[in-house]
Amino acid sequence: FMDDNARPHRSRAVNDFMRTSVITTLPWPAMSPDLNTIEHIWDFIGRRAREPPVQTLRQLEAALHQEWRQLT
């Protein structure tokens, strides 16, 4: 399991769950998008303007599929 030490990943409830479930985590620098490929893809998709803008969850899903297919 990988987490980036973000506050939601460091809550007492999460730490207790990880410890009692014997889940091993990998060390991962906080705020390190360079090491996480998907962050670059989300950034690329997020910078593309869509006209008209997405209005519904269904449109968002369709737009993401379309953008994903266009990645080279």
Side-chain angles (χ1 to χ4, degrees):
F1 180 74
M2 173 188 81
D3 76 59
D4 62 0
N5 292 316
R7 292 184 86 193
H9 300 161
R10 300 291 87 206
S11 72
R12 184 175 302 170
V14 170
N15 286 335
D16 290 347
F17 175 79
M18 299 291 260
R19 189 174 37 260
T20 59
S21 300
V22 192
I23 297 174
T24 305
T25 60
L26 299 172
W28 201 261
M31 305 291 288
S32 183
D34 294 340
L35 300 176
N36 193 345
T37 307
I38 195 66
E39 295 299 331
H40 293 291
I41 295 170
W42 282 120
D43 181 59
F44 177 78
I45 290 173
R47 291 174 186 269
R48 295 177 59 119
R50 294 197 64 84
E51 292 296 329
V54 171
Q55 300 281 325
T56 67
L57 187 56
R58 185 166 285 159
Q59 289 175 349
L60 175 61
E61 182 179 7
L64 288 173
H65 282 278
Q66 180 183 13
E67 294 292 339
W68 188 263
R69 285 190 299 272
Q70 292 177 4
L71 290 175
T72 57

